Amino acid sequence: MKEADEKVTKPLPGEGEVLGKAEITRIAKNQKNQKTAKNSKNKETAKNSMSQKIQKIQKTVKNPNSAQNAKAAQVANADKNAQNTQAAKAPKNPNLLQKAKDPRAVDNSEAFGITKALEMTEIVSRMSPILPNLYYPDGDASLFWRNVRSSREYAADLAEIKAEGERLRGQALPGLTFSLFSQFAETGSRLEYERAYFERRRRLNTFTLLSLLEPECEEHYTELLEAIWAICGEVAWCLPAHVSPERPLGETIDLFAAETGFTLTELRLLLGDRLPELLKTHIAGMVHARLLEPFLKKGPYEWEEAEHNWSAVCAGSIGSAALLLLDKDQDRELLGRILEKTQHSMTCYLKGFGEDGACLEGLGYWNYGFGYFVYYADLLYKRSGGELNWFAQEKVKAIAGFQQKCFLGGDAVVNFSDTLPYASVHIGLSRYISSIYDSVPSPPSRLRADYREDHCSRWAPALRNLLWREMAGNAPDWEPGDFLLEDAGWLISRTVSPKGVFGFAAKGGHNDEPHNHNDLGQFMLAGDGEFFLSDLGCGEYTKDYFGSARYTYDCNGSQGHSVPFINGCLQAEGSDRRASVLEQASGASESRMTVELSKAYDSQELQSFTRSWLWRKEELPSLELRDKFSFSKMPDTLVERFVTLIQPEKPSGQGRLLLVRGNFALELVYDDRQLRSEVTERTYRDHFGKNQVWYTLDFHVLQPQEQLELRFIFRFIS
């Protein structure tokens, strides 16, 4: 949380500029030259040292016995370091763990992120073998699963997994027919095929976990073998929405094909000798044919340089599968080539973030993309003995801290872009990153995601929600705080008072963001874990949803956001449709932000449009919104719109609307001499294909003028 009187403010143009840009550039250049001169001698010394190190390694590799001894010593040292790290994290109190400086948070390589092919091959030659200690701290799998069965910490997880096992045992495996696969191309609908596809993954996950938890149960094991065989027998692991006539099905690698390969290689390792040799060999062959070989020989794939979740999920899954499969001397070159390409994709993924670590795709895609980044980075760090360490990068640390900033009270979250309004946490992922970084608090256990919650049935987070559960302790709740995300152009405030927890979030940004909505100037208000002013978030994914008709969907176009219609114009899409943040400020009693939004609209008469928010952190908080418009000539129409899922009430008295939910109401106050209110009930299709009711609160300007200021007060009341 910011100190009481601290303010982080971006001055208005022309204000607070002591040095000109040329002078700032000159000073920065001089500082850089001084630093270069100071470090040149050290770098030369380091270069000579590295050359000697490489010569020593080359001599060691020539002697097989020396290589084996070095490898064994490295494994022993890795185990010792892991034990020392665990000992350093002994509980300080029942709720929180004392954090030592985690070695993963320390940069022990020079500029990791640009590792070249030769260097990667050398690192691969020193990698530790694929052993259970990649997953289990002491290498004892049976002890870990016995502890899960007996610990109260996992009781809810066990109940959920067993309940799924009972449900699935009585059902036939859903088929993936040609007619289902063709439905997307014919109608644009994705849900029918994906429901069957994800149900098969749920079956695989559930009976794998049950087989690990209850190895004596033959029924679990039989169901597991059938699930593996069925998935290996699928014509394609990709989804119909992601195929293209330009690429054969066998060469198509999408998010879900990559995830499937990672899943199969991981359970192949974890189940070990319990799997028939036939299946182990078949899985390895399938992963080589569908992931590793196409990745190297049939690319480049569009996602390889994507600056969003696709690069992390696809490349991270392929890299993880390679790390779990390629363990023989003859595999070194192949593994090195795959890791070099994977590293490039991960670098591209990180480019999609600003230094503030904000995920413009929203919290759901942070869980997804950053989750697979972490799953891969963890395996890479362990197998390389810490030589390849993504966690030491400052940007990775900033991204790791994004999640807790998004919670506005309860499970209500900031849901700009294609994100659901209420969320839980992947407890394993969250506690893993909390164990690394002092600045990332451990989440409260009450926000743990139910095993059945992920409708895509992803194996990697489901497993790690158990494996990584105890890496950090339980926190009572997220602390209050103001978060000024300058690169994203977001202001988020989580305010705690004797009355409860209240949240406010507003955004600038631009209208060409990943999973973009035309939503510059959008904002939301939450109280007691419920939304009063909302963002519709993500709608049903269809062909049109990601096509030319995207902004006709209310959840994507500006018509479904709390932004105005200016002279009949909606906001337009494009990277040049950009907000300018004029001010972001935070203090003990209030937070504020001002943005200039005229570039978002095509109205020729619009010269300026500034939107200002003033969030007052009282016992029952309030928000003041001021919109200032300047036109070259008087507009024909101007309509302010606010979005809610609550049917408004109109109390006695003029200039007021009331949104009531739970223990609170939000009172909206406006000047009825200046504005005429209109409430309309509407529907949209949510992410799961269900119709949801929402309301637009439109305020028509009665007498538009060339210079105009509109003011609204949103006040929480008991």
Side-chain angles (χ1 to χ4, degrees), residues 211-228:
S211 294
L212 291 168
L213 287 162
E214 300 174 353
E216 69 284 354
C217 180
E218 285 296 324
E219 195 173 1
H220 298 334
Y221 182 67
T222 301
E223 293 280 6
L224 168 62
L225 296 182
E226 295 295 345
I228 294 173

Side-chain angles (χ1 to χ4, degrees), residues 288-308:
H288 271 278
R290 293 194 175 186
L291 293 187
L292 306 187
E293 291 177 16
F295 183 48
L296 289 177
K297 299 177 182 178
K298 302 298 182 180
Y301 291 86
E302 289 183 2
W303 49 258
E304 288 187 42
E305 295 190 341
E307 296 182 3
H308 51 70

Side-chain angles (χ1 to χ4, degrees), residues 81-295:
N81 289 338
Q83 292 170 3
N84 290 339
T85 300
Q86 292 298 323
K89 296 174 184 174
K92 185 175 182 181
N93 63 53
N95 293 323
L96 298 174
L97 294 180
Q98 183 180 10
K99 294 184 183 179
K101 189 68 174 177
D102 192 288
R104 289 165 293 180
V106 179
D107 192 356
N108 60 357
S109 64
E110 185 177 354
F112 174 62
I114 53 171
T115 309
K116 302 300 181 185
L118 176 61
E119 186 180 354
M120 184 65 80
T121 302
E122 292 164 354
I123 293 172
V124 167
S125 72
R126 300 191 291 275
M127 279 190 171
S128 64
I130 302 170
L131 295 172
N133 62 3
L134 286 173
Y135 290 84
Y136 308 108
D138 56 3
D140 191 335
S142 60
L143 175 61
F144 173 81
W145 293 108
R146 284 199 304 272
N147 289 339
V148 172
R149 288 200 303 270
S150 60
S151 171
R152 287 195 301 176
E153 178 72 20
Y154 298 94
D157 305 80
L158 291 178
E160 293 154 8
I161 295 167
K162 289 179 179 180
E164 276 298 271
E166 289 302 314
R167 180 184 70 84
L168 292 165
R169 192 172 283 113
Q171 296 185 6
L173 184 76
L176 297 180
T177 63
F178 178 74
S179 59
L180 270 183
F181 194 91
S182 304
Q183 195 157 347
F184 176 77
E186 294 169 357
T187 69
S189 177
R190 299 173 53 148
L191 289 178
E192 292 79 9
Y193 184 88
E194 292 179 8
R195 285 193 185 109
Y197 179 100
F198 295 139
E199 183 77 348
R200 292 161 75 98
R201 269 67 187 162
R202 178 65 58 82
R203 199 175 195 93
L204 177 68
N205 297 355
T206 301
F207 289 111
T208 301
L209 290 175
L210 286 172
S211 294
L212 291 168
L213 287 162
E214 300 174 353
E216 69 284 354
C217 180
E218 285 296 324
E219 195 173 1
H220 298 334
Y221 182 67
T222 301
E223 293 280 6
L224 168 62
L225 296 182
E226 295 295 345
I228 294 173
W229 189 255
I231 287 177
C232 286
E234 291 172 356
V235 173
W237 288 340
C238 55
L239 296 184
H242 300 152
V243 303
S244 166
E246 284 77 40
R247 189 181 289 278
L249 275 179
E251 297 175 9
T252 300
I253 303 176
D254 73 341
L255 299 163
F256 300 97
E259 286 178 42
T260 299
F262 179 19
T263 298
L264 291 172
T265 55
E266 196 156 63
L267 64 85
R268 177 181 181 269
L269 173 67
L270 295 177
L271 290 163
D273 293 338
R274 294 181 60 198
L275 273 188
E277 198 61 37
L278 170 67
L279 270 185
K280 291 168 68 175
T281 302
H282 189 44
I283 287 171
M286 294 287 289
V287 172
H288 271 278
R290 293 194 175 186
L291 293 187
L292 306 187
E293 291 177 16
F295 183 48

Side-chain angles (χ1 to χ4, degrees), residues 38-47:
K38 182 178 179 181
N39 292 334
S40 59
K41 187 175 180 180
N42 293 338
K43 286 188 175 180
E44 186 63 31
T45 302
K47 184 178 179 181

